[in-house]
Amino acid sequence: MPRYTKKNYPLVDIRRHLETGPIVLVSSAWKGKTNIMTMGWHMVMEFSPALFGCYIWDQNHSFEMIRRSRQCVINVPTVDLANQVVGIGNTSGASIDKFEKFGLTADEAEEVKAPLIRECYANFECRLHDARLIERYSLFVWEVVKAHVATSPKRPKTMHYRGDGEFMIAGRTLNLSRKFRADRL
Amino acid sequence: MPRYTKKNYPLVDIRRHLETGPIVLVSSAWKGKTNIMTMGWHMVMEFSPALFGCYIWDQNHSFEMIRRSRQCVINVPTVDLANQVVGIGNTSGASIDKFEKFGLTADEAEEVKAPLIRECYANFECRLHDARLIERYSLFVWEVVKAHVATSPKRPKTMHYRGDGEFMIAGRTLNLSRKFRADRL
């Protein structure tokens, strides 16, 4: 299991860990129970406030917990957690405690009741910003209100889902910052 | 420049090339002009119909062309086109022809007037499915109506934006399909 030292991270910069499109684990809490789901359909929506949209299928056990609590934590795992990512996706929180089953640690968040997953590289505490798109598109629009990101490594080996049980693992880095216009980064 | 042989691709499977979170090039056409923009804020929203959401800033020259034509093509480039991806993001279609400037070829699409970018690995022809979120979130909800995907390689070296001029290039593949429950792929 990876062990990270994390620090507070500027909300305006969270796109650096979400725009690449990693599989994330969504943790929630409601009426004394916690849950985790695996999720790949999401997007950055605004720098400030730090908005983030994600699709949560209404057949997921997490759906009602998240909709009612109006909170969640978006946790970014690395490939070290590949078995947990798949196991969490395969099972339902209706019948098991996913933290216990998958050997993960629930840390207390600062701004929300949903727990942080300690073993993940980054944790983004979210409050529901807009519930109006849930019915039409199962789309939750979140405001990230607190961000915790590991200080090392700078370029984590995130997992990116290709479908059919196959993941692309984050590869090499290409730095083209010299070629960018400063206002278009 | 890469040269691909492409074939029609099942719409229900387009997530295989979008859910990983690649930078895409959005091509458009309006009143005899074409344009291209670089875009990284997007998500898969539904399998069938094949819905795809993306953020298009209202200050982009493409915004009005896309909003008025209600069409676009989402093109997936590989790292071979890194200079074009950055150059297209740095410039405005108000003053230049981006196809000509960046040496790209505009192929005719089948279902929309916006052009396909021949040198990209995949091209997804889109019609506007829902305009109601444009004003509030600059969010365009598209239905992909035709998909063209290269027959080789199966696992393209897509570019994933980390911010600050830095891209993550698609790395190795991890196949965990044996561990998945069949109904949860």
Side-chain angles (χ1 to χ4, degrees), chain A residues 14-74:
Chain A
I14 59 168
R15 62 94 71 100
R16 293 187 191 176
H17 297 286
L18 293 169
E19 186 172 334
T20 56
I23 275 285
V24 299
L25 298 174
V26 186
S27 50
S28 53
W30 179 244
K31 291 197 170 174
K33 302 255 187 185
T34 62
N35 198 17
I36 315 176
M37 62 172 278
T38 299
M39 194 263 294
W41 291 8
H42 59 73
M43 68 187 280
V44 180
M45 292 182 69
E46 190 59 85
F47 286 111
S48 181
L51 299 186
F52 174 77
C54 79
Y55 176 98
I56 298 176
W57 191 34
D58 64 5
Q59 296 305 301
N60 275 99
H61 185 64
S62 290
F63 179 86
E64 282 298 326
M65 296 176 65
I66 292 172
R67 193 176 66 82
R68 287 171 191 272
S69 65
R70 302 173 69 88
Q71 300 182 340
C72 75
V73 176
I74 302 294

Side-chain angles (χ1 to χ4, degrees), chain B residues 6 8 25-29 34-36 72-76 99 104-120 122-126 146-149:
Chain B
K6 297 175 200 169
N8 289 338
L25 298 174
V26 186
S27 51
S28 53
T34 63
N35 199 16
I36 315 176
C72 75
V73 176
I74 303 294
N75 305 272
V76 181
F99 278 95
L104 298 171
T105 313
D107 279 336
E108 206 167 315
E110 292 182 35
E111 302 287 339
V112 301
K113 288 184 179 164
L116 312 174
I117 302 176
R118 185 185 297 177
E119 292 79 8
C120 284
N123 316 99
F124 301 114
E125 302 183 24
C126 297
K146 188 87 190 176
H148 314 264
V149 175

